[in-house]
Amino acid sequence: MLTLTSGAVQVIRTVTANPELPPDTGIRIEPGVDGSDALRLSVAPEPEAGDQVVEEQGAKVYLQSGVAEMLDDKTLDAQVDPQGDVSFTIADGTAT
């Protein structure tokens, strides 16, 4: 199962903390639209049918079923740069 670093948990919780969003809002990871190995991340109000749900310390990640298999042994990390832009990275191994 995909694991989340503490940085990813913090960023996801910040991104989804808007009180106007539904309580089950999380980050959804699905295949990119161009047919490459790229993945697309978006804010989702709830999981879609068939999604695998990864939840840690209130941070919710919804994985499209094919993506869940691909990321089964991976770790999601996130960082915010000085300009406030968020970047997510996926690496082999478990969270630290």
Side-chain angles (χ1 to χ4, degrees):
M1 179 179 290
L2 178 72
T3 57
L4 309 177
T5 65
S6 59
V9 168
Q10 181 178 9
V11 168
I12 293 166
R13 286 173 46 185
T14 300
V15 168
T16 61
N18 185 332
E20 295 178 13
L21 295 173
D24 286 335
T25 299
I27 300 294
R28 185 160 197 273
I29 304 176
E30 57 193 337
V33 294
D34 60 3
S36 72
D37 288 339
L39 297 173
R40 184 172 71 176
L41 279 76
S42 60
V43 176
E46 60 188 14
E48 293 184 11
D51 281 356
Q52 180 183 85
V53 178
V54 176
E55 184 172 359
E56 188 168 326
Q57 300 174 21
K60 297 177 180 99
V61 178
Y62 307 130
L63 302 169
Q64 186 263 350
S65 61
V67 170
E69 291 175 27
M70 183 172 62
L71 300 181
D72 186 48
D73 61 346
K74 307 290 187 223
T75 298
L76 180 68
D77 191 18
Q79 296 182 352
V80 180
D81 70 19
Q83 291 76 36
D85 295 324
V86 175
S87 65
F88 286 92
T89 56
I90 296 173
D92 290 330
T94 57
T96 56

